[in-house]
Amino acid sequence: MHKKTVRDVDVANKRVLVRVDFNVPIRNGQISDDRRIREALPTIQYLLDRGATVILMSHLGRPKGRDPEFSLRPVAERLSQLLGRPVHFFDDCIGEAVEQGVLNLPPNAVALLENVRFYPQEEANDPEFARALARLGEVYVNDAFGSAHRAHASTEGVAHHLPAVAGLLMEKELRYLGQALTDPERPFVAILGGAKVHDKIGVIRNLLPKVDKLLVGGGMAFTFLKAQGYEIGKSLLDAESLEFAQQMLQQAGDKLLLPVDVVVAPTLEPNAPTQTVPASQIPPEQMGLDIGPETARQFGEVVKTARTVVWNGPLGAFETPPFEAGTRAVLQAVAESGAIAILGGGDTAAAAEQLGFAGKITHISTGGGAALEFLEGRVLPGVAALLDA
Ligand code: AMP
């Protein structure tokens, strides 16, 4: 972690402008999952304990202009409950009224600004808009790892106008993911799944030279099986990535493990009639929807020896029973391994949550796209803009 954090700056009696990721699911004004709000609490509490006035900003969804459906107001209420103190809500994120409003806040108060994406200038990283945001604070803290792969005004532009440091959640994300990439405890095992090879090409390229074993499952495994010369029936095929898969198979040697058996069904639907077949014998009218039990056992054996595991993408169509069994078995092995286990966000986090393993994993990233880009070895603009340590 080569960036300054909240620990490195004096925030007492200062207005601290904090970019958080409060992009939570809201239906009819009700927040159905407040994990992202809870993840931001340590940084907010840290700043409050040191006498700062905390001004929070976030995006929510993809509004086209100002739209009450995408208001962050319900988040202010939930945050207030979680913090056990009032949270002042501003119905805008820039402008004179907000500037006056933040100056008039009582010392050590918490405020939340309205959705920054009500302005198209946010995603355009408009310099004027970034400056208008910067006028609200004296220090800028970025705690929104999940948005750090985007160079937007509230994640990147604003950092050029204020002393800019990482929050505690951002620090934690960069520490776990960064250590896995640069100095992992070995053996280091990566597990990749999910639907398309194409989305993971950068990750495979970057991780393959670094890992001791790469376990490939999920829909993307079938492109690799096809590249090996097997027929894959109606299974997912990412035809554009076939050549890449062939190259990787050649380069990887015995580092790369593919499924040796798969669970197939005629269609992807709940409780479809299934069979388990060898990966080399997928029937033409069937699609592979999960790794088979022998593969789960082999993957589990590898995982049990690991000291570091990085996992991105489910190993089967886990949302639809019974195709979650392979993902569950390998999650179980990861949980029992005692390895430092880091799960990418998005679907992998959802699978761990749904299958009851969320509490047994060292670190579940709050970033889907951001975690993937980090694992590709790319520099995240929201991180690059922060002060160097
Ligand atoms: P991704 O966003 O690329 O990580 O893909 C996640 C999605 O891949 C999840 O919705 C899974 O249901 C899906 N998936 C995983 N394995 C398979 C498979 N064998 N066939 C079809 N979909 C799959």
Side-chain angles (χ1 to χ4, degrees), residues 7-27:
R7 300 174 210 280
D8 301 314
V9 284
D10 178 18
V11 297
N13 304 312
K14 291 199 173 134
R15 278 173 290 116
V16 180
L17 181 63
V18 188
R19 176 57 155 99
V20 285
D21 183 356
F22 283 169
N23 184 27
V24 292
I26 301 182
R27 218 164 291 139

Side-chain angles (χ1 to χ4, degrees), residues 193-196 199-200 217-220 222 236 268 287-290 312-320 347-348:
K196 285 184 77 186
D199 298 344
K200 312 259 156 85
M220 66 185 267
F222 297 97
L236 280 184
L268 173 51
M287 52 172 37
L289 291 166
D290 195 10
N312 196 294
L315 299 179
F318 76 96
E319 302 93 333
T320 312
D347 281 320
T348 326

Side-chain angles (χ1 to χ4, degrees), residues 327-386:
T327 303
R328 174 184 285 120
V330 179
L331 272 169
Q332 179 80 41
V334 171
E336 286 169 4
S337 69
I340 299 165
I342 303 158
L343 260 56
D347 281 320
T348 326
E353 192 87 41
Q354 179 191 311
L355 301 173
F357 287 94
K360 301 183 179 126
I361 302 294
T362 318
H363 179 67
I364 299 184
S365 177
T366 52
L372 265 186
E373 288 200 19
F374 193 92
L375 292 175
E376 287 174 9
R378 297 221 286 222
V379 175
L380 308 182
V383 177
L386 303 176

Side-chain angles (χ1 to χ4, degrees), residues 34-86:
D34 65 1
R35 189 165 92 97
R36 286 185 167 146
I37 307 176
R38 286 183 281 113
E39 295 272 11
L41 294 176
T43 297
I44 298 171
Q45 200 58 57
Y46 181 94
L47 293 168
L48 289 174
D49 291 346
R50 279 153 192 80
T53 295
V54 180
I55 300 152
L56 301 159
M57 61 178 170
S58 176
H59 77 283
L60 176 71
R62 297 175 181 278
K64 306 239 176 315
R66 186 171 284 275
D67 180 345
E69 204 189 312
F70 293 91
S71 173
L72 279 165
R73 191 179 286 276
V75 175
E77 281 160 31
R78 184 82 192 101
L79 177 63
S80 172
Q81 288 164 2
L82 290 168
L83 281 173
R85 60 196 292 158

Side-chain angles (χ1 to χ4, degrees), residues 58-377:
S58 176
H59 77 283
L60 176 71
R62 297 175 181 278
K64 306 239 176 315
R66 186 171 284 275
D67 180 345
E69 204 189 312
F70 293 91
S71 173
L72 279 165
R73 191 179 286 276
V75 175
E77 281 160 31
R78 184 82 192 101
L79 177 63
S80 172
Q81 288 164 2
L82 290 168
L83 281 173
R85 60 196 292 158
V87 172
H88 186 93
F89 184 70
F90 288 104
D91 61 9
D92 209 339
C93 62
I94 55 163
E96 257 173 52
V98 185
E99 282 174 36
Q100 269 311 314
V102 297
L103 289 175
N104 293 336
L105 286 169
N108 217 213
V110 182
L112 175 62
L113 308 178
E114 184 54 287
N115 193 346
V116 288
R117 284 203 188 158
F118 282 180
Y119 291 85
Q121 295 96 312
E122 158 67 2
E123 289 186 74
N125 200 2
D126 178 83
E128 273 311 312
F129 183 73
R131 235 176 258 127
L133 290 172
R135 279 198 283 276
L136 303 175
E138 295 162 280
V139 174
Y140 169 73
V141 174
N142 191 347
D143 213 22
F145 176 75
S147 304
H149 58 316
R150 309 273 184 234
H152 293 168
S154 69
T155 60
E156 203 273 344
V158 64
H160 299 290
H161 303 290
L162 292 171
V165 299
L168 300 176
L169 174 60
M170 177 73 90
E171 180 190 33
K172 186 168 80 168
E173 294 272 10
L174 296 176
R175 178 157 42 84
Y176 277 118
L177 289 162
Q179 178 166 1
L181 288 189
T182 54
D183 187 23
E185 281 189 42
R186 291 184 184 275
F188 175 21
V189 175
I191 307 173
L192 294 177
K196 285 184 77 186
V197 184
H198 188 79
D199 298 344
K200 312 259 156 85
I201 284 181
V203 177
I204 298 171
R205 264 196 218 289
N206 192 40
L207 286 184
L208 195 54
K210 301 184 199 294
V211 298
D212 298 293
K213 288 274 186 245
L214 174 64
L215 313 179
V216 175
M220 66 185 267
F222 297 97
T223 301
F224 282 89
L225 292 171
K226 179 90 181 168
Q228 262 189 339
Y230 296 152
E231 290 308 322
I232 59 168
K234 293 197 296 174
S235 311
L236 280 184
L237 172 66
D238 184 354
E240 281 172 30
S241 303
L242 258 179
E243 216 181 295
F244 170 78
Q246 259 151 2
Q247 285 168 12
M248 287 304 112
L249 286 170
Q250 275 169 10
Q251 276 178 31
D254 62 2
K255 251 193 194 184
L256 197 157
L257 267 70
L258 288 175
V260 292
D261 60 344
V262 292
V263 178
V264 299
T267 49
L268 173 51
E269 59 180 22
N271 304 311
T274 63
Q275 305 170 47
T276 300
V277 298
S280 56
Q281 289 168 38
I282 298 172
E285 290 308 312
Q286 304 271 324
M287 52 172 37
L289 291 166
D290 195 10
I291 57 170
E294 175 55 21
T295 306
R297 194 193 63 75
Q298 289 185 7
F299 283 12
E301 288 298 312
V302 173
V303 161
K304 276 179 196 152
T305 67
R307 300 295 310 138
T308 305
V309 176
V310 168
W311 183 344
N312 196 294
L315 299 179
F318 76 96
E319 302 93 333
T320 312
F323 307 112
E324 82 292 352
T327 303
R328 174 184 285 120
V330 179
L331 272 169
Q332 179 80 41
V334 171
E336 286 169 4
S337 69
I340 299 165
I342 303 158
L343 260 56
D347 281 320
T348 326
E353 192 87 41
Q354 179 191 311
L355 301 173
F357 287 94
K360 301 183 179 126
I361 302 294
T362 318
H363 179 67
I364 299 184
S365 177
T366 52
L372 265 186
E373 288 200 19
F374 193 92
L375 292 175
E376 287 174 9

